[in-house]
Amino acid sequence: MAKLFEPYTIRNLTLKNRIAMAPMCMYSSDKEDGKVEDWHRVHYGSRAVGQSGLIILEATAVQPQGRISAQDLGIWDDAHIEGLTELTRLIKQHGTAAGIQLAHAGRKATVDGDIQAPSAIAFSDEYKTPVAMSKEEITETVNAFAVAANRAADAGFDLLELHGAHGYLINEFLSPLSNHRIDEYGGSAENRYRFLREIIDAVRDTWEGPLFVRISAEDYTEGGMTSEQYVEMAKWMKDQGVDLIDVSSGAVVPAKINPFPGYQVPYSETIRTGAEIATGAVGLITSGLQAEEILGNDRADLILIGRELLRDAYWPYQAARELHTEIESPVQYGRAWTF
Ligand SMILES: Cc1cc2nc3c(=O)[nH]c(=O)nc-3n(C[C@H](O)[C@H](O)[C@H](O)COP(=O)(O)O)c2cc1C
């Protein structure tokens, strides 16, 4: 059997295959209250019918001022639990595991009012200048991640991912390009990691299930982070009980990136080998054969599919045909496979 369709166990959770839907913002909480709407129900439900082994829900804000846009999904209030519970029910009834990406947009938030970041440096001219966070605000935000993790557990999620990539708040602390602090949260790698360390510890206090962290393994800018530098941080994450690093790249500062198929896979490989931790590969992976090459050559443990799953909710069937593997389908669709 193709490795892509082998079950994959992380702690107490067994995924039916190694295909994960990458977190993708839908900006569809139309009432601007962070709540689940019909769009989310149909969108995530379809990908579960489509046989993805894991769906990681889009960046979901742990605090209202940490939203990328006013239409982001939220998990900052108990009132969000009901809608999210409906999503986990819709996803899990098809044998797909339900994950959620806990997020704070930091200096990339575009909501009204003050926005926060490690340092008062705007991302670009098109963004607001953030307010540098006080230690009290850092502690409040760490707590917000922990409370959000509890709400995710109440809503029935199987897996959590912390959004430490793409220039959002956690990433802003990790990279020296956006973190110019001179206190214990800035300077050395250990100091820049402190914010994420506190979040992981706070979440791990109560969350016993699988925990992923998404990182931007390359800043594509002189003086920024590289995948080699992330090996050290990945080792710290592993020691703290993180199960898998979801290896993305870029967007902490405006930098030119020339993407091509599998362009982030080498970063996954570097971190997987260097830190001896499981990784997820993501970025322009669009065919079953390409996914199988990555897994077969031990370059990653999980394949995250983003835009290809927007184009085709049933992509896993196509990949299975390509890899000559038969996979289950809902009984309602059984006749699709007979003549
Ligand atoms: C519409 C859209 C929304 C996205 N939102 C998120 C997000 O919420 N969190 C995140 O970590 N990445 C987000 N991404 C990045 C994807 O998860 C993925 O890493 C990226 O699209 C590259 O993979 P792909 O080539 O398979 O699409 C988004 C991408 C798209 C296209």
Side-chain angles (χ1 to χ4, degrees), residues 22-27 57-60 68 101 161 163 165-166 168 214 246 248 263-264 282-286 304-308 310-311:
M24 282 179 286
C25 284
M26 291 289 108
Y27 307 118
L57 239 67
E58 63 199 84
T60 303
I68 303 165
Q101 189 183 49
E161 175 168 282
H163 197 347
H166 304 162
Y168 298 116
R214 179 170 264 208
D246 173 4
S248 188
Y263 70 110
Q264 295 173 146
V282 66
L284 283 174
I285 302 168
T286 54
L304 288 101
I305 306 287
R307 287 160 293 178
E308 193 61 21
L310 297 185
R311 290 185 282 263

PDB file of all heavy atoms in Angstrom, residues 22-27 57-60 68 101 161 163 165-166 168 214 246 248 263-264 282-286 304-308 310-311, ligand 1:
ATOM      1  N   ALA A  22      -4.450  21.572   5.021  1.00  0.00           N
ATOM      2  CA  ALA A  22      -3.705  22.668   5.652  1.00  0.00           C
ATOM      3  C   ALA A  22      -4.690  23.726   6.171  1.00  0.00           C
ATOM      4  O   ALA A  22      -5.751  23.921   5.577  1.00  0.00           O
ATOM      5  CB  ALA A  22      -2.756  23.291   4.633  1.00  0.00           C
ATOM      6  N   PRO A  23      -4.338  24.395   7.274  1.00  0.00           N
ATOM      7  CA  PRO A  23      -5.223  25.452   7.763  1.00  0.00           C
ATOM      8  C   PRO A  23      -5.332  26.571   6.727  1.00  0.00           C
ATOM      9  O   PRO A  23      -4.318  27.041   6.219  1.00  0.00           O
ATOM     10  CB  PRO A  23      -4.520  25.943   9.041  1.00  0.00           C
ATOM     11  CG  PRO A  23      -3.086  25.525   8.881  1.00  0.00           C
ATOM     12  CD  PRO A  23      -3.097  24.294   8.039  1.00  0.00           C
ATOM     13  N   MET A  24      -6.550  26.955   6.417  1.00  0.00           N
ATOM     14  CA  MET A  24      -6.742  28.030   5.432  1.00  0.00           C
ATOM     15  C   MET A  24      -7.904  28.932   5.853  1.00  0.00           C
ATOM     16  O   MET A  24      -9.059  28.492   5.906  1.00  0.00           O
ATOM     17  CB  MET A  24      -7.016  27.443   4.042  1.00  0.00           C
ATOM     18  CG  MET A  24      -5.755  26.943   3.363  1.00  0.00           C
ATOM     19  SD  MET A  24      -6.099  26.235   1.736  1.00  0.00           S
ATOM     20  CE  MET A  24      -6.855  24.673   2.172  1.00  0.00           C
ATOM     21  N   CYS A  25      -7.581  30.197   6.125  1.00  0.00           N
ATOM     22  CA  CYS A  25      -8.586  31.179   6.535  1.00  0.00           C
ATOM     23  C   CYS A  25      -9.662  31.309   5.474  1.00  0.00           C
ATOM     24  O   CYS A  25      -9.351  31.449   4.287  1.00  0.00           O
ATOM     25  CB  CYS A  25      -7.940  32.558   6.674  1.00  0.00           C
ATOM     26  SG  CYS A  25      -6.979  32.714   8.155  1.00  0.00           S
ATOM     27  N   MET A  26     -10.888  31.313   5.896  1.00  0.00           N
ATOM     28  CA  MET A  26     -12.013  31.484   4.976  1.00  0.00           C
ATOM     29  C   MET A  26     -12.622  32.880   5.082  1.00  0.00           C
ATOM     30  O   MET A  26     -13.446  33.271   4.262  1.00  0.00           O
ATOM     31  CB  MET A  26     -13.076  30.412   5.255  1.00  0.00           C
ATOM     32  CG  MET A  26     -12.642  29.009   4.882  1.00  0.00           C
ATOM     33  SD  MET A  26     -12.567  28.817   3.072  1.00  0.00           S
ATOM     34  CE  MET A  26     -10.798  28.757   2.765  1.00  0.00           C
ATOM     35  N   TYR A  27     -12.235  33.628   6.107  1.00  0.00           N
ATOM     36  CA  TYR A  27     -12.759  34.988   6.304  1.00  0.00           C
ATOM     37  C   TYR A  27     -14.282  35.003   6.089  1.00  0.00           C
ATOM     38  O   TYR A  27     -14.804  35.828   5.340  1.00  0.00           O
ATOM     39  CB  TYR A  27     -12.062  35.976   5.353  1.00  0.00           C
ATOM     40  CG  TYR A  27     -10.546  35.927   5.429  1.00  0.00           C
ATOM     41  CD1 TYR A  27      -9.780  35.558   4.324  1.00  0.00           C
ATOM     42  CD2 TYR A  27      -9.888  36.214   6.625  1.00  0.00           C
ATOM     43  CE1 TYR A  27      -8.391  35.495   4.395  1.00  0.00           C
ATOM     44  CE2 TYR A  27      -8.502  36.157   6.705  1.00  0.00           C
ATOM     45  CZ  TYR A  27      -7.759  35.798   5.595  1.00  0.00           C
ATOM     46  OH  TYR A  27      -6.396  35.730   5.676  1.00  0.00           O
ATOM     47  N   LEU A  57      -8.465  23.097  11.059  1.00  0.00           N
ATOM     48  CA  LEU A  57      -9.260  24.301  10.854  1.00  0.00           C
ATOM     49  C   LEU A  57      -8.349  25.519  10.744  1.00  0.00           C
ATOM     50  O   LEU A  57      -7.314  25.584  11.406  1.00  0.00           O
ATOM     51  CB  LEU A  57     -10.180  24.499  12.058  1.00  0.00           C
ATOM     52  CG  LEU A  57     -11.671  24.530  11.774  1.00  0.00           C
ATOM     53  CD1 LEU A  57     -12.135  23.164  11.309  1.00  0.00           C
ATOM     54  CD2 LEU A  57     -12.441  24.918  13.028  1.00  0.00           C
ATOM     55  N   GLU A  58      -8.803  26.455   9.971  1.00  0.00           N
ATOM     56  CA  GLU A  58      -8.108  27.727   9.737  1.00  0.00           C
ATOM     57  C   GLU A  58      -7.656  28.427  11.029  1.00  0.00           C
ATOM     58  O   GLU A  58      -8.191  28.155  12.115  1.00  0.00           O
ATOM     59  CB  GLU A  58      -9.077  28.652   9.013  1.00  0.00           C
ATOM     60  CG  GLU A  58     -10.332  28.990   9.827  1.00  0.00           C
ATOM     61  CD  GLU A  58     -11.453  29.516   8.947  1.00  0.00           C
ATOM     62  OE1 GLU A  58     -12.191  28.689   8.377  1.00  0.00           O
ATOM     63  OE2 GLU A  58     -11.600  30.750   8.818  1.00  0.00           O
ATOM     64  N   ALA A  59      -6.738  29.369  10.872  1.00  0.00           N
ATOM     65  CA  ALA A  59      -6.271  30.206  11.982  1.00  0.00           C
ATOM     66  C   ALA A  59      -7.487  30.747  12.733  1.00  0.00           C
ATOM     67  O   ALA A  59      -8.312  31.465  12.160  1.00  0.00           O
ATOM     68  CB  ALA A  59      -5.432  31.354  11.432  1.00  0.00           C
ATOM     69  N   THR A  60      -7.587  30.411  14.001  1.00  0.00           N
ATOM     70  CA  THR A  60      -8.762  30.769  14.801  1.00  0.00           C
ATOM     71  C   THR A  60      -8.262  31.601  15.981  1.00  0.00           C
ATOM     72  O   THR A  60      -7.380  31.161  16.736  1.00  0.00           O
ATOM     73  CB  THR A  60      -9.486  29.476  15.247  1.00  0.00           C
ATOM     74  OG1 THR A  60      -9.830  28.728  14.068  1.00  0.00           O
ATOM     75  CG2 THR A  60     -10.739  29.772  16.030  1.00  0.00           C
ATOM     76  N   ILE A  68      -6.767  38.349  12.013  1.00  0.00           N
ATOM     77  CA  ILE A  68      -6.196  38.902  10.782  1.00  0.00           C
ATOM     78  C   ILE A  68      -7.222  39.865  10.182  1.00  0.00           C
ATOM     79  O   ILE A  68      -6.887  40.958   9.740  1.00  0.00           O
ATOM     80  CB  ILE A  68      -5.864  37.777   9.765  1.00  0.00           C
ATOM     81  CG1 ILE A  68      -4.908  36.756  10.391  1.00  0.00           C
ATOM     82  CG2 ILE A  68      -5.295  38.349   8.472  1.00  0.00           C
ATOM     83  CD1 ILE A  68      -4.793  35.450   9.623  1.00  0.00           C
ATOM     84  N   GLN A 101      -6.221  25.310  14.333  1.00  0.00           N
ATOM     85  CA  GLN A 101      -5.017  26.127  14.469  1.00  0.00           C
ATOM     86  C   GLN A 101      -5.334  27.328  15.362  1.00  0.00           C
ATOM     87  O   GLN A 101      -6.180  28.159  15.004  1.00  0.00           O
ATOM     88  CB  GLN A 101      -4.546  26.602  13.096  1.00  0.00           C
ATOM     89  CG  GLN A 101      -3.182  27.279  13.144  1.00  0.00           C
ATOM     90  CD  GLN A 101      -2.735  27.829  11.804  1.00  0.00           C
ATOM     91  OE1 GLN A 101      -3.486  28.530  11.131  1.00  0.00           O
ATOM     92  NE2 GLN A 101      -1.512  27.528  11.415  1.00  0.00           N
ATOM     93  N   GLU A 161      -3.001  22.822  16.753  1.00  0.00           N
ATOM     94  CA  GLU A 161      -1.792  23.364  16.131  1.00  0.00           C
ATOM     95  C   GLU A 161      -1.649  24.816  16.580  1.00  0.00           C
ATOM     96  O   GLU A 161      -2.600  25.602  16.486  1.00  0.00           O
ATOM     97  CB  GLU A 161      -1.875  23.301  14.603  1.00  0.00           C
ATOM     98  CG  GLU A 161      -0.663  23.981  13.946  1.00  0.00           C
ATOM     99  CD  GLU A 161      -0.514  23.712  12.462  1.00  0.00           C
ATOM    100  OE1 GLU A 161      -0.050  22.623  12.094  1.00  0.00           O
ATOM    101  OE2 GLU A 161      -0.870  24.613  11.659  1.00  0.00           O
ATOM    102  N   HIS A 163      -0.157  28.406  15.788  1.00  0.00           N
ATOM    103  CA  HIS A 163       0.303  29.105  14.580  1.00  0.00           C
ATOM    104  C   HIS A 163       1.533  29.949  14.906  1.00  0.00           C
ATOM    105  O   HIS A 163       1.424  31.071  15.384  1.00  0.00           O
ATOM    106  CB  HIS A 163      -0.819  29.987  14.042  1.00  0.00           C
ATOM    107  CG  HIS A 163      -0.615  30.420  12.619  1.00  0.00           C
ATOM    108  ND1 HIS A 163       0.593  30.281  11.960  1.00  0.00           N
ATOM    109  CD2 HIS A 163      -1.466  30.984  11.710  1.00  0.00           C
ATOM    110  CE1 HIS A 163       0.472  30.740  10.724  1.00  0.00           C
ATOM    111  NE2 HIS A 163      -0.765  31.169  10.548  1.00  0.00           N
ATOM    112  N   ALA A 165       3.808  30.638  12.474  1.00  0.00           N
ATOM    113  CA  ALA A 165       4.383  30.942  11.153  1.00  0.00           C
ATOM    114  C   ALA A 165       3.830  32.243  10.576  1.00  0.00           C
ATOM    115  O   ALA A 165       3.066  32.955  11.223  1.00  0.00           O
ATOM    116  CB  ALA A 165       4.091  29.784  10.199  1.00  0.00           C
ATOM    117  N   HIS A 166       4.273  32.536   9.351  1.00  0.00           N
ATOM    118  CA  HIS A 166       3.699  33.564   8.458  1.00  0.00           C
ATOM    119  C   HIS A 166       3.651  34.977   9.033  1.00  0.00           C
ATOM    120  O   HIS A 166       2.802  35.783   8.663  1.00  0.00           O
ATOM    121  CB  HIS A 166       2.294  33.133   7.995  1.00  0.00           C
ATOM    122  CG  HIS A 166       2.319  31.782   7.328  1.00  0.00           C
ATOM    123  ND1 HIS A 166       1.211  31.011   7.140  1.00  0.00           N
ATOM    124  CD2 HIS A 166       3.349  31.051   6.834  1.00  0.00           C
ATOM    125  CE1 HIS A 166       1.537  29.875   6.547  1.00  0.00           C
ATOM    126  NE2 HIS A 166       2.833  29.880   6.355  1.00  0.00           N
ATOM    127  N   TYR A 168       2.845  36.046  12.026  1.00  0.00           N
ATOM    128  CA  TYR A 168       1.872  36.381  13.060  1.00  0.00           C
ATOM    129  C   TYR A 168       2.573  36.379  14.420  1.00  0.00           C
ATOM    130  O   TYR A 168       3.788  36.172  14.498  1.00  0.00           O
ATOM    131  CB  TYR A 168       0.666  35.431  12.962  1.00  0.00           C
ATOM    132  CG  TYR A 168      -0.032  35.580  11.623  1.00  0.00           C
ATOM    133  CD1 TYR A 168      -0.094  34.537  10.705  1.00  0.00           C
ATOM    134  CD2 TYR A 168      -0.569  36.814  11.250  1.00  0.00           C
ATOM    135  CE1 TYR A 168      -0.697  34.713   9.457  1.00  0.00           C
ATOM    136  CE2 TYR A 168      -1.162  36.999   9.997  1.00  0.00           C
ATOM    137  CZ  TYR A 168      -1.228  35.940   9.114  1.00  0.00           C
ATOM    138  OH  TYR A 168      -1.805  36.139   7.885  1.00  0.00           O
ATOM    139  N   ARG A 214       3.168  25.163  13.825  1.00  0.00           N
ATOM    140  CA  ARG A 214       3.552  25.559  12.464  1.00  0.00           C
ATOM    141  C   ARG A 214       4.593  26.660  12.556  1.00  0.00           C
ATOM    142  O   ARG A 214       4.417  27.625  13.305  1.00  0.00           O
ATOM    143  CB  ARG A 214       2.331  26.028  11.670  1.00  0.00           C
ATOM    144  CG  ARG A 214       2.706  26.476  10.270  1.00  0.00           C
ATOM    145  CD  ARG A 214       1.515  26.709   9.386  1.00  0.00           C
ATOM    146  NE  ARG A 214       1.257  25.522   8.575  1.00  0.00           N
ATOM    147  CZ  ARG A 214       0.671  25.555   7.370  1.00  0.00           C
ATOM    148  NH1 ARG A 214       0.269  26.683   6.861  1.00  0.00           N
ATOM    149  NH2 ARG A 214       0.469  24.454   6.680  1.00  0.00           N
ATOM    150  N   ASP A 246       4.996  21.571  11.707  1.00  0.00           N
ATOM    151  CA  ASP A 246       4.388  21.780  10.393  1.00  0.00           C
ATOM    152  C   ASP A 246       5.226  22.879   9.730  1.00  0.00           C
ATOM    153  O   ASP A 246       5.195  24.040  10.146  1.00  0.00           O
ATOM    154  CB  ASP A 246       2.930  22.191  10.656  1.00  0.00           C
ATOM    155  CG  ASP A 246       2.185  22.619   9.412  1.00  0.00           C
ATOM    156  OD1 ASP A 246       2.748  22.543   8.318  1.00  0.00           O
ATOM    157  OD2 ASP A 246       1.018  23.049   9.568  1.00  0.00           O
ATOM    158  N   SER A 248       6.345  25.419   7.271  1.00  0.00           N
ATOM    159  CA  SER A 248       6.045  26.368   6.208  1.00  0.00           C
ATOM    160  C   SER A 248       7.199  27.367   6.135  1.00  0.00           C
ATOM    161  O   SER A 248       8.270  27.114   6.721  1.00  0.00           O
ATOM    162  CB  SER A 248       4.718  27.067   6.532  1.00  0.00           C
ATOM    163  OG  SER A 248       4.285  27.858   5.458  1.00  0.00           O
ATOM    164  N   TYR A 263       8.811  23.354  -2.693  1.00  0.00           N
ATOM    165  CA  TYR A 263       9.929  24.247  -2.324  1.00  0.00           C
ATOM    166  C   TYR A 263      10.225  24.272  -0.834  1.00  0.00           C
ATOM    167  O   TYR A 263      11.341  24.609  -0.433  1.00  0.00           O
ATOM    168  CB  TYR A 263       9.688  25.667  -2.858  1.00  0.00           C
ATOM    169  CG  TYR A 263       8.567  26.439  -2.186  1.00  0.00           C
ATOM    170  CD1 TYR A 263       8.830  27.526  -1.352  1.00  0.00           C
ATOM    171  CD2 TYR A 263       7.245  26.094  -2.388  1.00  0.00           C
ATOM    172  CE1 TYR A 263       7.807  28.239  -0.746  1.00  0.00           C
ATOM    173  CE2 TYR A 263       6.211  26.798  -1.784  1.00  0.00           C
ATOM    174  CZ  TYR A 263       6.501  27.859  -0.964  1.00  0.00           C
ATOM    175  OH  TYR A 263       5.485  28.554  -0.354  1.00  0.00           O
ATOM    176  N   GLN A 264       9.257  23.900  -0.006  1.00  0.00           N
ATOM    177  CA  GLN A 264       9.513  23.946   1.453  1.00  0.00           C
ATOM    178  C   GLN A 264       9.927  22.580   2.021  1.00  0.00           C
ATOM    179  O   GLN A 264      10.265  22.476   3.198  1.00  0.00           O
ATOM    180  CB  GLN A 264       8.264  24.456   2.187  1.00  0.00           C
ATOM    181  CG  GLN A 264       7.943  25.897   1.810  1.00  0.00           C
ATOM    182  CD  GLN A 264       6.641  26.445   2.361  1.00  0.00           C
ATOM    183  OE1 GLN A 264       6.549  27.617   2.674  1.00  0.00           O
ATOM    184  NE2 GLN A 264       5.617  25.636   2.458  1.00  0.00           N
ATOM    185  N   VAL A 282       4.497  20.977   3.482  1.00  0.00           N
ATOM    186  CA  VAL A 282       3.405  21.747   2.872  1.00  0.00           C
ATOM    187  C   VAL A 282       3.967  22.671   1.806  1.00  0.00           C
ATOM    188  O   VAL A 282       5.141  23.044   1.867  1.00  0.00           O
ATOM    189  CB  VAL A 282       2.628  22.549   3.959  1.00  0.00           C
ATOM    190  CG1 VAL A 282       3.490  23.639   4.591  1.00  0.00           C
ATOM    191  CG2 VAL A 282       1.334  23.145   3.416  1.00  0.00           C
ATOM    192  N   GLY A 283       3.144  23.019   0.852  1.00  0.00           N
ATOM    193  CA  GLY A 283       3.553  24.011  -0.143  1.00  0.00           C
ATOM    194  C   GLY A 283       3.699  23.428  -1.523  1.00  0.00           C
ATOM    195  O   GLY A 283       4.657  22.694  -1.779  1.00  0.00           O
ATOM    196  N   LEU A 284       2.730  23.721  -2.394  1.00  0.00           N
ATOM    197  CA  LEU A 284       2.756  23.265  -3.786  1.00  0.00           C
ATOM    198  C   LEU A 284       2.996  21.761  -3.900  1.00  0.00           C
ATOM    199  O   LEU A 284       3.814  21.324  -4.703  1.00  0.00           O
ATOM    200  CB  LEU A 284       3.771  24.068  -4.591  1.00  0.00           C
ATOM    201  CG  LEU A 284       3.295  25.473  -4.989  1.00  0.00           C
ATOM    202  CD1 LEU A 284       4.400  26.271  -5.661  1.00  0.00           C
ATOM    203  CD2 LEU A 284       2.080  25.398  -5.906  1.00  0.00           C
ATOM    204  N   ILE A 285       2.300  21.014  -3.072  1.00  0.00           N
ATOM    205  CA  ILE A 285       2.260  19.551  -3.211  1.00  0.00           C
ATOM    206  C   ILE A 285       0.888  19.254  -3.810  1.00  0.00           C
ATOM    207  O   ILE A 285      -0.141  19.568  -3.209  1.00  0.00           O
ATOM    208  CB  ILE A 285       2.443  18.850  -1.848  1.00  0.00           C
ATOM    209  CG1 ILE A 285       3.778  19.276  -1.220  1.00  0.00           C
ATOM    210  CG2 ILE A 285       2.377  17.328  -2.022  1.00  0.00           C
ATOM    211  CD1 ILE A 285       3.932  18.868   0.235  1.00  0.00           C
ATOM    212  N   THR A 286       0.889  18.711  -5.011  1.00  0.00           N
ATOM    213  CA  THR A 286      -0.392  18.612  -5.734  1.00  0.00           C
ATOM    214  C   THR A 286      -0.675  17.227  -6.317  1.00  0.00           C
ATOM    215  O   THR A 286      -1.739  17.027  -6.886  1.00  0.00           O
ATOM    216  CB  THR A 286      -0.446  19.648  -6.885  1.00  0.00           C
ATOM    217  OG1 THR A 286       0.719  19.466  -7.693  1.00  0.00           O
ATOM    218  CG2 THR A 286      -0.486  21.071  -6.364  1.00  0.00           C
ATOM    219  N   LEU A 304       0.612  17.995   4.061  1.00  0.00           N
ATOM    220  CA  LEU A 304      -0.475  18.979   4.169  1.00  0.00           C
ATOM    221  C   LEU A 304      -0.780  19.542   2.787  1.00  0.00           C
ATOM    222  O   LEU A 304       0.133  19.945   2.059  1.00  0.00           O
ATOM    223  CB  LEU A 304      -0.091  20.120   5.126  1.00  0.00           C
ATOM    224  CG  LEU A 304      -0.072  19.679   6.592  1.00  0.00           C
ATOM    225  CD1 LEU A 304       1.340  19.429   7.057  1.00  0.00           C
ATOM    226  CD2 LEU A 304      -0.753  20.702   7.469  1.00  0.00           C
ATOM    227  N   ILE A 305      -2.057  19.531   2.477  1.00  0.00           N
ATOM    228  CA  ILE A 305      -2.499  20.002   1.162  1.00  0.00           C
ATOM    229  C   ILE A 305      -3.361  21.242   1.369  1.00  0.00           C
ATOM    230  O   ILE A 305      -4.334  21.207   2.127  1.00  0.00           O
ATOM    231  CB  ILE A 305      -3.334  18.906   0.437  1.00  0.00           C
ATOM    232  CG1 ILE A 305      -2.559  17.572   0.358  1.00  0.00           C
ATOM    233  CG2 ILE A 305      -3.780  19.368  -0.949  1.00  0.00           C
ATOM    234  CD1 ILE A 305      -1.413  17.538  -0.619  1.00  0.00           C
ATOM    235  N   GLY A 306      -3.002  22.310   0.703  1.00  0.00           N
ATOM    236  CA  GLY A 306      -3.760  23.549   0.830  1.00  0.00           C
ATOM    237  C   GLY A 306      -4.643  23.786  -0.384  1.00  0.00           C
ATOM    238  O   GLY A 306      -5.729  23.219  -0.519  1.00  0.00           O
ATOM    239  N   ARG A 307      -4.143  24.590  -1.320  1.00  0.00           N
ATOM    240  CA  ARG A 307      -4.980  25.036  -2.435  1.00  0.00           C
ATOM    241  C   ARG A 307      -5.523  23.909  -3.292  1.00  0.00           C
ATOM    242  O   ARG A 307      -6.625  24.019  -3.842  1.00  0.00           O
ATOM    243  CB  ARG A 307      -4.191  26.038  -3.297  1.00  0.00           C
ATOM    244  CG  ARG A 307      -4.053  27.377  -2.606  1.00  0.00           C
ATOM    245  CD  ARG A 307      -2.930  28.190  -3.168  1.00  0.00           C
ATOM    246  NE  ARG A 307      -1.639  27.590  -2.881  1.00  0.00           N
ATOM    247  CZ  ARG A 307      -0.473  28.088  -3.299  1.00  0.00           C
ATOM    248  NH1 ARG A 307      -0.452  29.173  -4.034  1.00  0.00           N
ATOM    249  NH2 ARG A 307       0.665  27.491  -2.982  1.00  0.00           N
ATOM    250  N   GLU A 308      -4.774  22.805  -3.409  1.00  0.00           N
ATOM    251  CA  GLU A 308      -5.286  21.688  -4.222  1.00  0.00           C
ATOM    252  C   GLU A 308      -6.592  21.157  -3.629  1.00  0.00           C
ATOM    253  O   GLU A 308      -7.477  20.718  -4.360  1.00  0.00           O
ATOM    254  CB  GLU A 308      -4.218  20.584  -4.318  1.00  0.00           C
ATOM    255  CG  GLU A 308      -4.490  19.524  -5.356  1.00  0.00           C
ATOM    256  CD  GLU A 308      -4.564  20.044  -6.803  1.00  0.00           C
ATOM    257  OE1 GLU A 308      -4.036  21.124  -7.108  1.00  0.00           O
ATOM    258  OE2 GLU A 308      -5.195  19.350  -7.621  1.00  0.00           O
ATOM    259  N   LEU A 310      -8.703  23.116  -2.117  1.00  0.00           N
ATOM    260  CA  LEU A 310      -9.737  24.110  -2.439  1.00  0.00           C
ATOM    261  C   LEU A 310     -10.260  23.855  -3.850  1.00  0.00           C
ATOM    262  O   LEU A 310     -11.446  24.004  -4.132  1.00  0.00           O
ATOM    263  CB  LEU A 310      -9.176  25.538  -2.356  1.00  0.00           C
ATOM    264  CG  LEU A 310      -8.665  26.033  -0.996  1.00  0.00           C
ATOM    265  CD1 LEU A 310      -8.273  27.507  -1.095  1.00  0.00           C
ATOM    266  CD2 LEU A 310      -9.702  25.837   0.098  1.00  0.00           C
ATOM    267  N   ARG A 311      -9.325  23.434  -4.733  1.00  0.00           N
ATOM    268  CA  ARG A 311      -9.734  23.169  -6.119  1.00  0.00           C
ATOM    269  C   ARG A 311     -10.546  21.883  -6.205  1.00  0.00           C
ATOM    270  O   ARG A 311     -11.438  21.757  -7.028  1.00  0.00           O
ATOM    271  CB  ARG A 311      -8.492  23.068  -7.019  1.00  0.00           C
ATOM    272  CG  ARG A 311      -7.766  24.391  -7.223  1.00  0.00           C
ATOM    273  CD  ARG A 311      -6.612  24.256  -8.212  1.00  0.00           C
ATOM    274  NE  ARG A 311      -5.436  23.654  -7.616  1.00  0.00           N
ATOM    275  CZ  ARG A 311      -4.392  24.341  -7.137  1.00  0.00           C
ATOM    276  NH1 ARG A 311      -4.398  25.654  -7.172  1.00  0.00           N
ATOM    277  NH2 ARG A 311      -3.349  23.715  -6.622  1.00  0.00           N
TER     278      ARG A 311
HETATM  279  C1  LIG B   1      -6.952  30.875   1.205  1.00  0.00           C
HETATM  280  C2  LIG B   1      -5.757  30.537   2.060  1.00  0.00           C
HETATM  281  C3  LIG B   1      -5.804  30.779   3.421  1.00  0.00           C
HETATM  282  C4  LIG B   1      -4.726  30.419   4.239  1.00  0.00           C
HETATM  283  N1  LIG B   1      -4.833  30.564   5.604  1.00  0.00           N
HETATM  284  C5  LIG B   1      -3.878  30.039   6.402  1.00  0.00           C
HETATM  285  C6  LIG B   1      -4.085  29.952   7.804  1.00  0.00           C
HETATM  286  O1  LIG B   1      -5.153  30.255   8.324  1.00  0.00           O
HETATM  287  N2  LIG B   1      -3.062  29.449   8.549  1.00  0.00           N
HETATM  288  C7  LIG B   1      -1.885  29.034   7.990  1.00  0.00           C
HETATM  289  O2  LIG B   1      -0.986  28.606   8.718  1.00  0.00           O
HETATM  290  N3  LIG B   1      -1.694  29.061   6.666  1.00  0.00           N
HETATM  291  C8  LIG B   1      -2.669  29.526   5.857  1.00  0.00           C
HETATM  292  N4  LIG B   1      -2.513  29.453   4.506  1.00  0.00           N
HETATM  293  C9  LIG B   1      -1.336  28.763   3.949  1.00  0.00           C
HETATM  294  C10 LIG B   1      -1.680  27.287   3.674  1.00  0.00           C
HETATM  295  O3  LIG B   1      -1.943  26.586   4.879  1.00  0.00           O
HETATM  296  C11 LIG B   1      -0.509  26.579   2.950  1.00  0.00           C
HETATM  297  O4  LIG B   1       0.604  26.566   3.792  1.00  0.00           O
HETATM  298  C12 LIG B   1      -0.146  27.277   1.643  1.00  0.00           C
HETATM  299  O5  LIG B   1      -1.307  27.541   0.870  1.00  0.00           O
HETATM  300  C13 LIG B   1       0.827  26.424   0.807  1.00  0.00           C
HETATM  301  O6  LIG B   1       0.285  25.158   0.537  1.00  0.00           O
HETATM  302  P1  LIG B   1      -0.436  24.834  -0.890  1.00  0.00           P
HETATM  303  O7  LIG B   1       0.567  25.126  -1.966  1.00  0.00           O
HETATM  304  O8  LIG B   1      -0.786  23.367  -0.793  1.00  0.00           O
HETATM  305  O9  LIG B   1      -1.627  25.705  -1.015  1.00  0.00           O
HETATM  306  C14 LIG B   1      -3.563  29.852   3.663  1.00  0.00           C
HETATM  307  C15 LIG B   1      -3.508  29.667   2.284  1.00  0.00           C
HETATM  308  C16 LIG B   1      -4.589  29.983   1.480  1.00  0.00           C
HETATM  309  C17 LIG B   1      -4.510  29.703  -0.004  1.00  0.00           C
END
